[in-house]
Amino acid sequence: MLEIKNLHVKLEEEDKQILKGVDLTVEAGKVHAIMGPNGSGKSTLSYVLSGKDGYEVTEGTATLDGEDILEMEPEERAAAGLFLAFQYPVEIPGVGNMTFLRTAVNAQRKARGEDEISASDFLKLVRERAASLEIDADMLKRPVNVGFSGGEKKRNEILQMAMLEPKMCILDETDSGLDVDAMKLVAHGVNALRDQGRGFLVITHYQRLLDHIKPDVVHIMSNGRIIKTGGPELALEVEKNGYADMKAEVA
Amino acid sequence: MALPQVKQTATEARLAAMTRPDGAKWITEIREAALARVSDMGLPGARDEYWKYTRPETLVQPEAPQAATFDDDDEQLFHEFDRLKVVFVDGVFSAEDSDDLTLEGIEISRLADVATQDIHWAKDLYGTLETNGQTPVQRPLAALNTAYAADGIVIRVTGAPSKPVNLIYEHRATGSDVLLHHVIKVEEGAEFTLLENGPAAARLNKVLEVDIADTGKFHHIRAQGRDHERRAATHIFARLGRESAFKSFTMTANGALTRNECVIELTGDDAIAHVAGACVGDGDFVHDDTVFITHDAENCESRQVFKKVLRNGAVGVFQGKILVKAGAQKTDGYQISQSLLLDGDSQFLAKPELEIYADDVACSHGSTSGAIDETALFYLRSRGLPHGIATDLLTLAFLAEAVQEIEDQDLQAEINTRIERWLERRRG
Ligand SMILES: Nc1ncnc2c1ncn2[C@@H]1O[C@H](COP(=O)(O)OP(=O)(O)O)[C@@H](O)[C@H]1O
Ligand SMILES: [Mg+2]
């Protein structure tokens, strides 16, 4: 589904190489986890895939179901089925959460040549999916992420994901800042979407989340590269020994 | 003191081109006094401090610059609201297009009729607030209006009329040069909503004087536009009695030059004055909000909320002042003026001022100018919103603080929809 080959990325503004040849393939229906120390380039990878300005791809490719996504506008990538749950969800004063969700759902439908969702169907769907994430009516009415707690913001990301039903979901440290209960809600939200052939790329620091979202493959990223790939046991190894040993192995 | 030669010449040229309307003795006296004020002050010139950011020449010159009439393909604003329509065509009241002017709790007359009556209550109000508003800053275009305006609406509110009065302006002649003067008296405990919309003329000079007695309430929602070539100088003069409220909101779309002055005096304790504006300009657009609020009583609240969206070289100006007189304790004054510049060509010029002579007051003011928030824009686009729709959503969000000053939720929605459509049209 998502195929990243030899991806090299530098900052547009300065001569700083951040990704130094990333290779990664996420198959339909699979959950891949990326772990790695701070500053290793995990968020950068997620931003480059979703089309944020400020980065320059100097080498390599990234395709979604065979389509080159790096050439697309961010909204085209979204319509193609890519979704990023942000590490730091953005507050947007003055834009109601509900308006935002409806506009997004309809924009994607339109881009795919589908009809807009009716107001009542939409409302029903939001209420149902919000309820399972314990997002109340008040949070839906408020401006996007404004005044939300850290946990509320992360749950709001998952709600957007649930509404947009993307085929490839990237979650950037969705677990950080969550207490155990909130993490279970988020994991439950992800697992609910897991069937139906969706691909997931879960970026995390902790084994904790992976207890609830069981990964098929675990990658370790360090200094702009995937330095090790393995099964779920790799996450347990990191939990026990940290990254130092692995870094030494490749060095 | 003699006027500078340039000003003297410009003023004389303009006055020579005008004809004073006929009227009863009382109004003729008021008009003559106003004319004397104009001659004393001279009309605004490019060197006047109060016109530092906006060039007054086209508002002053004898002939109005031509302006194409605007055929609106959209439904008339407020058309779904129950309202009493009063229509002016190129500045002349049209009985044919207007509703019957009778409504319980309110007396509505035409200025042209009132002016011929030997005696009328408007005698104590017409030109009075304008005269008071000439200090400490001169507003010669308003005095010119008092001297020469032949038409307008004269309203006395004694109760709570069941619907708003909607002044609708139509612009049919490309060279129409219009003066309109409205006078509104809100009696004790009365409450009234005034709506205004429609392109009025090639060049409009409009004065609205509002006197609100103790505990009276006045709501005002005005829309200017979407005609492109209009030039307009408008003045609102309001006096507020004890525990009264004045809430005025203006939406402006397009217009070669619009200068909206609002002069408010809080003269009774515990009164509230809110004045807000949202404007959207694209290209050949100059919009100037000039506000002067005087607190001359205790425990009054004033709010100024002005937002401007500017693109393709549009220019926005804000001059806002809060003057708190000695003795106006417990004043709560708030002022914010902000612009959203959608490109590098547009500019926003702001001059916020506070002048305070009382010690127990809370006043704050702020002014900002900025571009669209790129982080928010990316967030929206990453959810599938196309660039244009995402920008519009953020633009509406930017204007929201001003639009939300409209108390009535339905009217608020009506205005929002219009702004949305304006943005949509530009998105193509
Ligand atoms: N826009 C940027 N400007 C400057 N440095 C950046 C920018 N984006 C990323 N970096 C740098 O790139 C490296 C990788 O960052 P990031 O992708 O956020 O890592 P991670 O998510 O793995 O913690 C860090 O050294 C970070 O400082
Ligand atoms: Mg990160």
Side-chain angles (χ1 to χ4, degrees):
Chain A
M1 166 158 307
L2 177 67
E3 212 169 329
I4 304 166
K5 282 191 188 145
N6 193 30
L7 191 65
H8 286 69
V9 171
K10 71 178 269 294
L11 291 178
E12 221 164 51
E13 301 276 292
E14 47 183 294
D15 212 17
K16 182 174 173 180
Q17 198 72 33
I18 299 175
L19 298 184
K20 302 166 182 170
V22 174
D23 286 286
L24 184 68
T25 301
V26 181
E27 308 81 5
K30 300 285 183 201
V31 174
H32 285 230
I34 299 186
M35 303 180 82
N38 271 329
S40 57
K42 305 183 299 292
S43 291
T44 302
L45 176 64
S46 70
Y47 283 145
V48 169
L49 292 174
S50 48
K52 192 176 178 173
D53 279 346
Y55 302 101
E56 192 186 321
V57 175
T58 51
E59 223 186 307
T61 57
T63 58
L64 184 65
D65 283 342
E67 270 190 284
D68 178 6
I69 52 170
L70 297 178
E71 286 303 309
M72 297 180 189
E73 297 294 332
E75 56 267 36
E76 293 170 341
R77 301 178 195 207
L82 189 75
F83 181 91
L84 167 64
F86 283 57
Q87 181 174 2
Y88 304 106
V90 180
E91 298 188 9
I92 311 185
V95 176
N97 214 6
M98 203 71 140
T99 309
F100 166 51
L101 280 171
R102 203 186 49 239
T103 314
V105 167
N106 282 331
Q108 293 204 10
R109 286 186 165 224
K110 194 174 165 199
R112 296 192 208 108
E114 298 164 11
D115 284 340
E116 290 201 347
I117 188 170
S118 80
S120 63
D121 284 355
F122 173 78
L123 211 61
K124 220 176 108 204
L125 212 59
V126 175
R127 289 215 179 108
E128 181 192 302
R129 302 206 166 150
S132 70
L133 288 159
E134 293 182 13
I135 290 174
D136 59 22
D138 182 55
M139 260 174 78
L140 288 173
K141 257 189 258 159
R142 271 159 39 197
V144 181
N145 293 327
V146 177
F148 287 25
S149 71
E152 285 173 338
K153 283 181 183 169
K154 296 298 176 80
R155 277 186 279 145
N156 202 31
E157 294 290 289
I158 302 304
L159 174 63
Q160 291 166 35
M161 188 169 87
M163 292 303 296
L164 294 169
E165 302 179 336
K167 57 185 176 200
M168 180 65 223
C169 311
I170 305 171
L171 277 66
D172 191 1
E173 292 200 27
T174 301
D175 52 336
S176 55
L178 293 186
D179 58 29
V180 177
D181 289 338
M183 195 173 60
K184 280 185 185 157
L185 282 175
V186 164
H188 180 75
V190 170
N191 288 329
L193 290 166
R194 198 169 164 173
D195 332 317
Q196 307 158 18
R198 293 196 169 84
F200 283 89
L201 190 58
V202 179
I203 298 170
T204 183
H205 270 302
Y206 308 103
Q207 160 63 25
R208 217 171 56 140
L209 180 69
L210 303 179
D211 284 340
H212 300 282
I213 306 174
K214 297 249 159 33
D216 297 295
V217 183
V218 176
H219 307 273
I220 308 298
M221 189 171 204
S222 174
N223 191 22
R225 279 192 196 92
I226 304 286
I227 56 163
K228 198 164 182 176
T229 295
E233 73 286 349
L234 205 52
L236 294 166
E237 193 186 325
V238 168
E239 187 85 345
K240 226 173 7 180
N241 305 328
Y243 300 109
D245 295 353
M246 294 178 197
K247 279 201 249 181
E249 271 175 48
V250 281
Chain B
M1 212 179 73
L3 294 174
Q5 194 54 50
V6 184
K7 197 183 262 278
Q8 177 87 30
T9 310
T11 303
E12 279 169 7
R14 176 70 188 270
L15 294 180
M18 316 244 349
T19 26
R20 211 132 44 81
D22 290 332
K25 183 160 168 282
W26 64 269
I27 199 164
T28 302
E29 283 172 8
I30 293 172
R31 284 168 172 158
E32 277 167 3
L35 179 57
R37 283 197 294 283
V38 176
S39 303
D40 276 0
M41 296 186 274
L43 290 169
R47 296 179 162 224
D48 295 7
E49 180 63 22
Y50 216 45
W51 291 84
K52 191 161 95 182
Y53 301 125
T54 301
R55 298 188 66 97
E57 288 88 340
T58 53
L59 298 170
V60 168
Q61 71 189 45
E63 287 258 313
Q66 296 282 313
T69 57
F70 183 77
D71 288 321
D72 202 336
D73 49 355
D74 211 340
E75 305 239 51
Q76 194 179 64
L77 193 69
F78 308 129
H79 77 282
E80 281 176 340
F81 289 77
D82 187 22
R83 64 213 159 121
L84 190 149
K85 295 195 293 276
V86 179
V87 179
F88 291 89
V89 177
D90 286 318
V92 181
F93 172 74
S94 166
E96 187 185 319
D97 298 309
S98 301
D99 290 332
D100 176 25
L101 300 186
T102 45
L103 183 65
E104 195 170 317
I106 185 168
E107 292 162 24
I108 309 169
S109 329
R110 182 184 171 186
L111 177 64
D113 293 335
V114 167
T116 61
Q117 293 172 27
D118 287 339
I119 185 159
H120 195 277
W121 62 262
K123 165 178 177 293
D124 295 326
L125 192 48
Y126 184 86
T128 305
L129 299 183
E130 175 262 297
T131 310
N132 291 345
Q134 296 295 349
T135 45
V137 187
Q138 298 182 342
R139 308 173 198 279
L141 289 169
L144 181 80
N145 180 294
T146 301
Y148 291 99
D151 222 337
I153 205 79
V154 176
I155 289 177
R156 190 159 78 109
V157 191
T158 52
S162 61
K163 53 184 163 186
V165 168
N166 187 182
L167 305 181
I168 299 166
Y169 306 114
E170 286 180 22
H171 172 206
R172 290 190 194 157
T174 53
S176 58
D177 192 14
V178 165
L179 288 91
L180 280 168
H181 196 120
H182 308 308
V183 172
I184 296 177
K185 190 169 165 64
V186 180
E187 300 285 11
E188 210 172 306
E191 180 161 4
F192 173 57
T193 300
L194 179 74
L195 309 174
E196 290 185 276
N197 61 281
R203 180 168 72 178
L204 173 68
N205 177 330
K206 181 160 65 79
V207 167
L208 168 64
E209 293 180 287
V210 187
D211 186 80
I212 310 171
D214 296 350
T215 69
K217 288 192 169 61
F218 176 72
H219 307 269
H220 178 221
I221 291 108
R222 158 170 72 164
Q224 298 172 313
R226 309 187 328 267
D227 50 331
H228 291 276
E229 296 173 5
R230 111 179 140 262
R231 286 157 203 284
T234 78
H235 290 81
I236 297 172
F237 296 96
R239 186 203 69 87
L240 279 75
R242 180 181 50 82
E243 289 172 50
S244 68
F246 168 93
K247 296 189 178 179
S248 174
F249 171 87
T250 301
M251 171 184 79
T252 308
N254 308 338
L257 174 59
T258 309
R259 161 102 160 190
N260 292 331
E261 293 194 29
C262 186
V263 186
I264 299 172
E265 258 208 290
L266 295 137
T267 64
D269 296 344
D270 307 303
I272 293 173
H274 292 183
V275 45
C279 88
V280 286
D282 186 349
D284 195 5
F285 174 88
V286 178
H287 182 89
D288 175 335
D289 284 298
T290 292
V291 181
F292 198 113
I293 298 184
T294 305
H295 284 260
D296 197 10
E298 284 190 17
N299 200 35
C300 290
E301 176 194 308
S302 72
R303 266 175 83 79
Q304 302 172 44
V305 181
F306 286 88
K307 301 264 189 166
K308 295 174 165 60
V309 174
L310 307 167
R311 57 207 278 175
N312 291 324
V315 178
V317 174
F318 176 80
Q319 303 190 104
K321 178 155 181 172
I322 307 174
L323 169 62
V324 181
K325 291 202 172 170
Q329 302 296 9
K330 304 256 187 294
T331 286
D332 178 2
Y334 174 76
Q335 179 195 90
I336 182 98
S337 66
Q338 296 181 308
S339 78
L340 175 62
L341 307 177
L342 291 177
D343 52 50
D345 301 334
S346 303
Q347 54 170 332
F348 177 56
L349 306 156
K351 188 180 176 194
E353 277 183 289
L354 287 178
E355 197 178 328
I356 301 176
Y357 298 100
D359 48 25
D360 183 14
V361 303
C363 283
S364 65
H365 66 104
S367 182
T368 65
S369 195
I372 211 100
D373 177 351
E374 289 295 336
T375 309
L377 188 65
F378 172 65
Y379 188 68
L380 294 177
R381 293 177 71 193
S382 79
R383 298 307 183 238
L385 273 66
H387 191 281
I389 292 178
T391 304
D392 287 0
L393 212 53
L394 292 174
T395 304
L396 281 170
F398 166 78
L399 293 173
E401 191 189 354
V403 178
Q404 280 161 10
E405 289 290 308
I406 301 173
E407 234 176 63
D408 184 291
Q409 296 296 309
D410 294 334
L411 288 169
Q412 200 187 97
E414 174 86 342
I415 294 292
N416 237 338
T417 306
R418 291 306 162 124
I419 299 174
E420 249 173 72
R421 277 189 218 153
W422 186 91
L423 293 168
E424 235 172 73
R425 260 181 236 111
R426 264 144 198 87
R427 209 162 64 211

